[in-house]
Amino acid sequence: MITALKRIVRAGFVGFWRNAFVSIAAIFVMTVALFVIGATMMIDTLLGVSLENIQDKVDINVYFVPNAEQMDIDSLQRSLEALPDVESVTFTSREQALAEFTERHKNDEVIMQGLEELGDNPLGASLSIRAKETSQYEGIATFLEDQKAAEDPSKPLIDEVNFVKNKEAINKLTAIIQAVEKSTFIAMVILVLASVLITFNTIRLAIYTTREEISVMRLVGASNMYIRGPFMLQGIMYGLIAGVLALLILYPIVLYLGPATEQFFQFNLFNYFVTDFGYIFAVLVGTGIVLGMVSSAFAVARYLRV
Amino acid sequence: MIYFDNVSKRYSDGRSVALDGVSFQVAPKEFVSIVGHSGAGKTTLLRMLIAEDRPTEGQVFFESIDVHKIPRSKLPKYRRKIGTVFQDFKLLPHKTAYENIAFAMEANGRSDDEIAENVPQALALVDLEDKVWNFPGELSGGEKQRVAIARAIVNQPDIIIADEPTGNLDPIATYEVVQILKKINDLGTTVIMTTHNKGVIDELGRRVITMDEGRIVRDDNEGKYVL
């Protein structure tokens, strides 16, 4: 038993080296396949994050005029908090609003210069209201519009309620992202299937070159497992190497894309790659190993049939 | 030790018949030649015996075992009782003569010590001690066939099946190969050989089964090549 295992392992390694060219071809094809799987994983993660971000951003903001009285704002906040549909109300002071604005646009020279020229803080305080359910925003918005309408025109308080303006954009973005997610999912399934088929065919081709050897092995009474073993081991080695190579190719790409995704999605792809490396490694290398092993087993089975 | 009981093989088109009600027995230590034209069913007969092919009717027994009732997982073990030699040698081109023979023993799970001991013996039996480390491409047809025979006998099978072993060989190599098969038979191994070489049969003077169109037409104990 141990002798057989030893021989299977040795035959696997010898076969790998002796057919180096075929091995390299198989590894190359599998690397591409696994890279495609890895890349779709990254894209899928980004899309998921951006959908979450957007859904998270659904809220109603009430902007007050810059000279609004704190007392009036407080009383509006209290009456909002009294509404049953409201989950939370967050107050942002004028100073906080300015600080956030400056932080967000610190890389934009023009805006920063404009702000400096103004001298005064042009921003008003605001309340950010979050409903318990997305569908409840409509009612809260109506309540706020009523409040605004009831104001004394000579002494305005509410500058703008941004729900109506955001609503369409939010709905549209959500629809776009969901459509993109759906199509990437379909694309991913097709790509993964294509990768599996290409890998399977490459390995079958690799084994085709040794079919004589397989028939001789059967002739001399080698057991099926003894025949299949070295090929499956080779498949595992292809998958392992291809998985590692795919990760090595992905690394500089996410490293390069990291800052860009940080800005665009508020999500650093490189950090994700680093923190979830174990998971990504397991998926890619695991897929490679299983794919290589199963492909080899199937390919050899063709020549084992009586 | 081998019994063919009314074995027929028809192909799926329903008309072509490879074997038609073939019955015969082979006793231990016999040397049986099967002769006949191409397509007479000689090779099909041998394929039945190593369970590469199934009969449409009838049974094939090896001792008390019904060959075609052996479960697929047990087939390799069964095939180890049979050494096979083919017209086209079926040697592994990337292995030396020694490695080709050792390979058969490794596949059977024999120990390294046994391999080191038995391979040279098998090569000595076929007179190839001086070609141990040559690759098949460096050997003549007769030498290749002798390596193939050494590989077939190295696991000490109960029976050797040789399908046209001299088909690709010149007269001298043919003579050598037949002498080796005779020697193996004298050492106690049953041999079943197919051929259409008249000279080989007439020289051997052993049992001859003559086939034609899937049927046995003659079975003589000290037969001649009659067709």
Side-chain angles (χ1 to χ4, degrees):
Chain A
M1 188 64 209
I2 286 167
T3 338
L5 204 67
K6 200 181 75 194
R7 281 170 187 159
I8 286 173
V9 170
R10 198 186 55 200
F13 276 95
V14 167
F16 186 86
W17 284 120
R18 228 170 250 184
N19 304 318
F21 190 75
V22 173
S23 297
I24 288 168
I27 288 171
F28 182 74
V29 167
M30 284 186 80
T31 304
V32 174
L34 291 175
F35 173 75
V36 166
I37 292 172
T40 34
M41 259 173 84
M42 296 289 137
I43 293 169
D44 197 53
T45 309
L46 273 185
L47 286 172
V49 164
S50 46
L51 191 66
E52 245 170 61
N53 275 350
I54 284 176
Q55 275 163 353
D56 218 42
K57 281 208 179 90
V58 179
D59 57 6
I60 299 183
N61 287 295
V62 186
Y63 295 97
F64 300 102
V65 293
N67 56 3
E69 294 284 342
Q70 188 63 43
M71 226 178 63
D72 297 333
I73 297 174
D74 287 347
S75 86
L76 181 62
Q77 183 171 0
R78 272 193 299 276
S79 51
L80 275 168
E81 276 165 350
L83 290 175
D85 293 348
V86 170
E87 164 89 27
S88 69
V89 180
T90 319
F91 172 71
T92 309
S93 72
R94 295 184 63 198
E95 291 71 32
Q96 282 170 323
L98 182 66
E100 271 173 28
F101 184 85
T102 319
E103 174 64 28
R104 199 157 55 223
H105 296 283
K106 66 181 175 207
N107 294 327
D108 194 328
E109 292 280 330
V110 182
I111 291 178
M112 292 313 286
Q113 263 176 16
L115 200 63
E116 251 167 67
E117 267 163 41
L118 270 174
D120 194 23
N121 179 359
L123 300 168
S126 63
L127 285 178
S128 158
I129 304 139
R130 212 158 266 247
K132 285 176 182 139
E133 298 285 332
T134 326
S135 58
Q136 291 161 344
Y137 282 108
E138 209 73 66
I140 300 169
T142 319
F143 171 79
L144 286 167
E145 292 297 329
D146 289 349
Q147 289 284 316
K148 196 182 174 194
E151 273 171 11
D152 177 0
S154 64
K155 198 174 151 250
L157 174 68
I158 295 171
D159 184 28
E160 199 189 353
V161 177
N162 75 341
F163 176 68
V164 184
K165 214 171 74 191
N166 271 2
K167 194 175 93 177
E168 258 175 66
I170 287 167
N171 286 346
K172 214 172 249 172
L173 262 177
T174 310
I176 290 172
I177 289 186
Q178 275 167 347
V180 172
E181 268 210 322
K182 206 184 263 176
S183 39
T184 42
F185 178 75
I186 294 169
M188 193 158 96
V189 169
I190 293 172
L191 282 172
V192 169
L193 269 180
S195 313
V196 171
L197 280 179
I198 293 170
T199 306
F200 177 66
N201 262 315
T202 310
I203 289 187
R204 210 174 70 177
L205 218 61
I207 290 178
Y208 180 78
T209 58
T210 54
R211 68 199 181 288
E212 277 287 294
E213 204 155 330
I214 293 172
S215 78
V216 172
M217 286 171 115
R218 280 182 47 204
L219 221 64
V220 299
S223 73
N224 285 357
M225 206 47 230
Y226 187 82
I227 298 173
R228 216 181 267 146
F231 292 105
M232 284 169 74
L233 185 69
Q234 278 179 54
I236 291 171
M237 291 199 305
Y238 295 160
L240 190 74
I241 295 171
V244 171
L245 281 178
L247 284 170
L248 284 178
I249 298 172
L250 268 177
Y251 182 84
I253 294 175
V254 291
L255 184 65
Y256 173 74
L257 287 178
T261 53
E262 172 88 71
Q263 260 199 338
F264 197 73
F265 297 99
Q266 283 84 53
F267 175 79
N268 192 321
L269 196 59
F270 180 68
N271 286 344
Y272 167 71
F273 187 77
V274 172
T275 50
D276 279 23
F277 185 77
Y279 169 71
I280 297 168
F281 181 89
V283 169
L284 288 194
V285 174
T287 309
I289 287 174
V290 171
L291 197 59
M293 197 174 72
V294 172
S295 302
S296 299
F298 270 114
V300 178
R302 251 182 87 85
Y303 301 107
L304 286 180
R305 249 177 254 145
V306 179
Chain B
M1 73 196 292
I2 290 164
Y3 311 91
F4 273 67
D5 183 15
N6 203 21
V7 174
S8 294
K9 176 75 186 178
R10 277 179 211 90
Y11 288 104
S12 48
D13 63 359
R15 250 180 290 169
S16 51
V17 177
L19 291 179
D20 188 3
V22 170
S23 298
F24 69 98
Q25 327 185 349
V26 177
K29 299 183 186 180
E30 241 185 321
F31 192 128
V32 183
S33 304
I34 302 174
V35 301
H37 295 298
S38 297
K42 310 186 293 287
T43 300
T44 311
L45 204 71
L46 296 188
R47 285 170 58 84
M48 295 283 167
L49 191 55
I50 54 172
E52 281 268 336
D53 218 340
R54 317 188 125 264
T56 4
E57 269 166 49
Q59 286 162 304
V60 179
F61 287 94
F62 183 93
E63 281 154 358
S64 58
I65 310 160
D66 184 337
V67 170
H68 297 98
K69 287 204 173 119
I70 300 172
R72 199 177 270 222
S73 57
K74 297 270 167 59
L75 270 184
K77 211 174 163 205
Y78 165 68
R79 289 198 181 119
R80 285 174 208 169
K81 298 181 187 206
I82 305 171
T84 41
V85 179
F86 291 90
Q87 182 173 2
D88 56 356
F89 324 124
K90 292 203 196 290
L91 297 176
L92 299 175
H94 300 299
K95 288 189 196 293
T96 63
Y98 183 95
E99 287 167 345
N100 261 290
I101 298 163
F103 179 72
M105 294 188 76
E106 285 175 9
N108 280 266
R110 309 283 286 275
S111 75
D112 292 342
D113 293 339
E114 282 179 291
I115 292 173
E117 196 190 325
N118 290 2
V119 173
Q121 286 174 358
L123 278 164
L125 190 73
V126 297
D127 253 335
L128 272 180
E129 293 108 314
D130 52 336
K131 297 286 169 82
V132 173
W133 300 113
N134 285 82
F135 287 92
E138 301 162 353
L139 299 175
S140 72
E143 287 166 341
K144 278 187 231 179
Q145 194 59 294
R146 283 189 275 158
V147 173
I149 292 172
R151 182 181 65 189
I153 58 167
V154 78
N155 285 317
Q156 285 129 19
D158 300 336
I159 174 167
I160 295 275
I161 286 179
D163 190 11
E164 306 270 6
T166 60
N168 279 343
L169 305 181
D170 63 59
I172 292 170
T174 298
Y175 175 78
E176 285 169 353
V177 163
V178 172
Q179 288 310 308
I180 287 168
L181 287 174
K182 231 166 143 180
K183 189 156 86 181
I184 291 165
N185 179 242
D186 289 340
L187 292 171
T189 307
T190 313
V191 177
I192 301 179
M193 175 178 76
T194 69
T195 184
H196 35 226
N197 188 319
K198 186 175 177 357
V200 166
I201 296 301
D202 293 349
E203 209 255 0
L204 263 173
R206 304 283 180 98
R207 180 177 169 196
V208 177
I209 293 175
T210 309
M211 293 189 69
D212 191 28
E213 290 182 351
R215 276 188 293 268
I216 293 180
V217 291
R218 291 173 72 95
D219 189 346
D220 308 306
N221 258 340
E222 273 180 43
K224 296 266 179 198
Y225 192 91
V226 188
L227 261 179

